[in-house]
Amino acid sequence: MAINRRTFLKAAGLTTLAGVAGHAAMELLAPGALEASGPSKVGEYPEALTAKRWAMLIDTEKFTTAQVYQKCIDACHVLHNVPHIPGDQEIKWLWTDSFKHAFPDQQHALVPDRVKNQPFMVLCNHCDNPPCVRVCPTKATFKRDDGIVMMDMHRCIGCRYCMAGCPYGARSFNFWDPRPFIENIDPYYPTRMKGVVEKCTFCEDRLAKGQLPACVEASEGALIFGDLANEDSEVRRVLRERYSLRRKPSLGTNPHVFYLI
Ligand code: SF4
Ligand code: SF4
């Protein structure tokens, strides 16, 4: 049966909406509320950092100045040759958004002013149930056993179904050859080409070398990264002690980026 792009996107959207049933429209995770499980990931290199399920915590109380946000964004974008393209065709792996846009289903009159007014760091949520993966016709985007949602640029045909499928706007499309828009190309990280989609990778390349994600390293403690499946990990300890939010929990994507509030 022939299926055009409009029909496909409509079907993908309906599939996403179908996942809504049975999920709460609002979520505030109490300390210690979350458990995770999954198969072990064996690293390729002896020094590699490995986990059953990687997750990131964003401590919103520690993002107190514009510099903290910018340091994290610069660390990510410089390291990964993310081009600086002004306007609505920008490429972004890590950026800021308002509480209103980042958490549209968690608005109410009693949200504290600090939370309501401060910018929030946003990125790919490395969802457990990622609609972007479900709709990709070439399997160019896929989820690893340790939860990282990856892109294979060589398989990406630029259809942008994954962008339509992601409810977080976490993916960017290269409308142009990005290379002229990169100030200093880092020869150790591959540049992309016109016509492919890209996004945050949880720094899988750094993890493989035994390093934490670049944004985490630059954040001076405002970002915490670790194995959610390990109850002795720092991420689990902090989630036992602090309240946290996740973005758009009603969609059933099960994001693995947590906002400590
Ligand atoms: S945030 Fe978007 S791009 Fe990232 S895994 Fe979830 S659905 Fe996919
Ligand atoms: S985890 Fe790595 S790729 Fe993702 S936002 Fe942080 S620095 Fe960028």
Side-chain angles (χ1 to χ4, degrees):
M1 183 181 74
I3 182 166
N4 63 29
R5 183 168 185 271
R6 182 182 291 271
T7 313
F8 187 97
L9 289 175
K10 204 172 159 193
L14 285 174
T15 306
T16 303
L17 281 176
V20 169
H23 293 281
M26 187 170 161
E27 175 189 72
L28 173 62
L29 292 175
L34 210 88
E35 296 293 331
S37 62
S40 288
K41 168 90 173 73
V42 178
E44 288 174 39
Y45 306 102
E47 68 271 32
L49 301 180
T50 59
K52 282 185 181 170
R53 209 330 168 177
W54 289 117
M56 183 183 285
L57 313 186
I58 298 181
D59 189 341
T60 63
E61 286 187 347
K62 290 193 173 156
F63 281 90
T64 49
T65 64
Q67 285 82 354
V68 190
Y69 295 93
Q70 202 55 50
K71 272 177 77 175
C72 296
I73 295 169
D74 288 347
C76 173
H77 285 194
V78 169
L79 186 84
H80 298 112
N81 290 325
V82 177
H84 179 63
I85 302 175
D88 59 2
Q89 294 180 350
E90 66 181 330
I91 306 290
K92 47 192 179 22
W93 286 27
L94 181 63
W95 69 105
T96 59
D97 207 343
S98 63
F99 179 72
K100 194 170 138 194
H101 284 136
F103 300 92
D105 46 5
Q106 301 192 20
Q107 310 291 316
H108 62 81
L110 299 178
V111 175
D113 283 349
R114 176 187 70 81
V115 174
K116 209 164 39 188
N117 298 328
Q118 86 174 90
F120 282 75
M121 300 255 48
V122 285
L123 67 160
C124 170
N125 290 286
H126 296 276
C127 307
D128 243 3
N129 183 23
C132 57
V133 169
R134 218 181 314 146
V135 298
C136 177
T138 64
K139 301 201 186 318
T141 190
F142 56 94
K143 191 174 79 146
R144 304 192 330 183
D145 288 346
D146 60 4
I148 297 181
V149 174
M150 284 297 298
M151 275 297 298
D152 180 344
M153 300 297 172
H154 301 288
R155 297 183 75 122
C156 178
I157 56 171
C159 67
R160 290 184 275 158
Y161 290 176
C162 61
M163 293 180 71
C166 172
Y168 304 99
R171 292 170 167 267
S172 301
F173 183 66
N174 285 283
F175 287 95
W176 313 95
D177 176 357
R179 295 173 190 102
F181 298 95
I182 303 169
E183 203 173 325
N184 292 304
I185 292 181
D186 181 344
Y188 296 104
Y189 198 83
T191 54
R192 279 70 69 192
M193 56 192 283
K194 177 180 175 180
V196 298
V197 171
E198 59 183 86
K199 68 167 196 72
C200 159
T201 62
F202 261 1
C203 280
E204 55 85 30
D205 55 311
R206 287 174 58 87
L207 297 174
K209 291 184 286 189
Q211 300 168 327
L212 284 171
C215 58
V216 174
E217 211 170 82
S219 74
E220 298 173 10
L223 302 178
I224 305 169
F225 192 76
D227 187 356
L228 198 69
N230 177 358
E231 60 181 40
D232 297 324
S233 67
E234 189 183 6
V235 288
R236 284 292 293 277
R237 179 184 62 73
V238 174
L239 285 174
R240 276 195 292 270
E241 294 167 359
R242 302 269 304 270
Y243 282 96
S244 58
L245 295 172
R246 293 186 294 174
R247 297 184 63 197
K248 303 183 182 177
S250 60
L251 300 180
T253 54
N254 198 1
H256 274 63
V257 174
F258 297 78
Y259 294 82
L260 305 171
I261 53 165

